[in-house]
Amino acid sequence: MALHPVPALPSQGLIGVIAPAGPAPLDTDKAVQWMRAHGHELRIFPGVYEKDGYLAGSDDIRLNDLHSAFADPEVNAIICLRGGYGTPRLLDRIDFELLRNNPKPFIGYSDITALHLAISRYAGFVTFHGPLLNADLLGDKQPPTVTSFFNLLRGQLKAGSVLSHPAAYPLTTVEPGIAQGRLLGGNLSIIAATLGTPYQIDADGLILFIEDINEPLYRIDRLLTQLRLAGTLQKLRGVLVGDVAGVDVAALNRLLKQTFEPLRIPVLSGWRSGHCDPNLTLPMGALVRLDAGEKRLVLEQDVVISR
């Protein structure tokens, strides 16, 4: 079952910035100028300027910013400062009723995967696996990063639209076939870390999206094996593999074939989303059609609705 679309980011809409995971210094003037150049204002929540070791402030501060950003009626979308670590610590304290009653585009990746999975399960609306403020939007990444981000959030891609992929980065059909299902996932390490918890991925009828960084091939193997032994992979309808930074592509595709060929589901590899440049935005929880043979990903529903 597809998740509910969220209100589109309006022209001149206000974007809230939170740091639910790790800390990072923010050049506030640069961030404000960048957003204004793209037609938007920023509201930066207090935890963005906090640091508590490897966390951006205490759990209380980061949780309060998350709740405040969703509750703020002036905030039209929420983007995360960075990944790192910290979002799983918040999951059992989130007021999902608050989120469910105030749906809006929520964007991030890496450690933010934990929030995508939890919001999908308990708040029921589409979120966006997309750029972080510091590393991506302010990091001078290639133009498709920004184009993909705004096209989805502003509602320029409707049901039936093909999600474009830059020709400069060829995709690989690991296993051919066509499948329709909800697109959900993100960082493979976080997906595996939530297994056995109330926030684990609901794999039934899913097109699983995975990406990762700083994990050698044998650890990717270990993580995929964990998902297989947990019975997660057997429930899938298809797999979209994003960037797995630092791993040899040919070796990765061999591992993917070994893992998924027995399941007889379509698998498409090489999608530029994750810890890469460009970093394309994907709608988490949305109904899509994956055609691995034709190397196409098609939206089967509107992911945002006009206000």
Side-chain angles (χ1 to χ4, degrees):
M1 183 176 178
L3 301 190
H4 297 297
V6 291
L9 174 65
S11 59
Q12 301 181 329
L14 180 66
I15 298 178
V17 184
I18 64 172
L26 176 66
D27 185 333
T28 303
D29 289 341
K30 181 180 179 180
V32 169
Q33 290 171 10
W34 191 96
M35 278 297 177
R36 284 179 177 168
H38 291 83
H40 299 283
E41 295 292 331
L42 281 184
R43 177 160 295 166
I44 301 172
F45 286 81
V48 167
Y49 299 111
E50 296 286 330
K51 185 177 187 299
D52 184 4
Y54 50 79
L55 301 171
S58 67
D59 290 351
D60 286 344
I61 289 172
R62 291 178 292 112
L63 181 67
N64 186 65
D65 280 359
L66 176 69
H67 286 157
S68 296
F70 271 102
D72 190 333
E74 295 182 347
V75 171
N76 302 119
I78 303 167
I79 191 169
C80 297
L81 177 69
R82 64 157 291 183
Y85 175 71
T87 57
R89 294 169 57 123
L90 306 180
L91 297 183
D92 59 345
R93 298 177 59 193
I94 293 174
D95 182 349
F96 288 105
E97 183 177 1
L98 169 68
L99 273 59
R100 190 164 50 247
N101 291 335
N102 297 277
K104 59 189 69 174
F106 174 80
I107 311 103
Y109 69 100
S110 194
D111 192 68
I112 310 304
T113 296
L115 290 172
H116 290 309
L117 301 184
I119 291 171
S120 170
R121 182 179 282 269
Y122 293 110
F125 57 81
V126 171
T127 59
F128 297 89
H129 185 281
L132 299 164
L133 180 61
N134 250 20
D136 298 277
L137 296 187
L138 302 183
D140 297 323
K141 291 206 169 180
Q142 295 179 53
T145 300
V146 177
T147 303
S148 171
F149 173 73
F150 283 123
N151 281 351
L152 274 172
L153 267 61
R154 291 170 176 165
Q156 293 168 341
L157 296 177
K158 305 289 188 181
S161 297
V162 176
L163 294 180
S164 62
H165 193 271
Y169 300 94
L171 297 165
T172 300
T173 300
V174 177
E175 287 294 312
I178 301 172
Q180 184 188 63
R182 288 181 303 112
L183 179 68
L184 187 62
N187 184 262
L188 179 59
S189 298
I190 296 294
I191 294 170
T194 59
L195 290 179
T197 76
Y199 311 97
Q200 70 181 18
I201 195 165
D202 179 4
D204 285 328
L206 210 66
I207 306 293
L208 176 67
F209 169 71
I210 54 174
E211 65 85 39
D212 220 315
I213 187 173
N214 295 332
E215 298 288 358
L217 187 64
Y218 78 88
R219 290 186 185 173
I220 298 297
D221 188 340
R222 178 191 295 161
L223 293 165
L224 290 172
T225 299
Q226 183 181 0
L227 292 180
R228 179 177 63 82
L229 295 176
T232 302
L233 301 187
Q234 293 85 337
K235 300 175 183 178
L236 302 177
R237 291 183 181 173
V239 181
L240 179 67
V241 182
D243 188 66
V244 182
V247 173
D248 177 75
V249 173
L252 173 65
N253 286 334
R254 284 196 298 273
L255 173 61
L256 293 171
K257 190 166 187 64
Q258 290 171 358
T259 302
F260 292 107
E261 186 176 37
L263 301 179
R264 298 184 178 182
I265 57 176
V267 180
L268 182 63
S269 178
W271 195 271
R272 299 295 290 181
S273 188
H275 297 79
C276 54
D277 182 14
N279 178 12
L280 307 177
T281 301
L282 290 169
M284 297 289 95
L287 191 64
V288 301
R289 184 171 75 255
L290 174 67
D291 187 333
E294 293 296 322
K295 303 176 183 177
R296 299 203 323 162
L297 186 66
V298 182
L299 280 179
E300 295 283 88
Q301 68 163 100
D302 291 345
V303 295
V304 301
I305 51 176
S306 299
R307 292 173 179 271

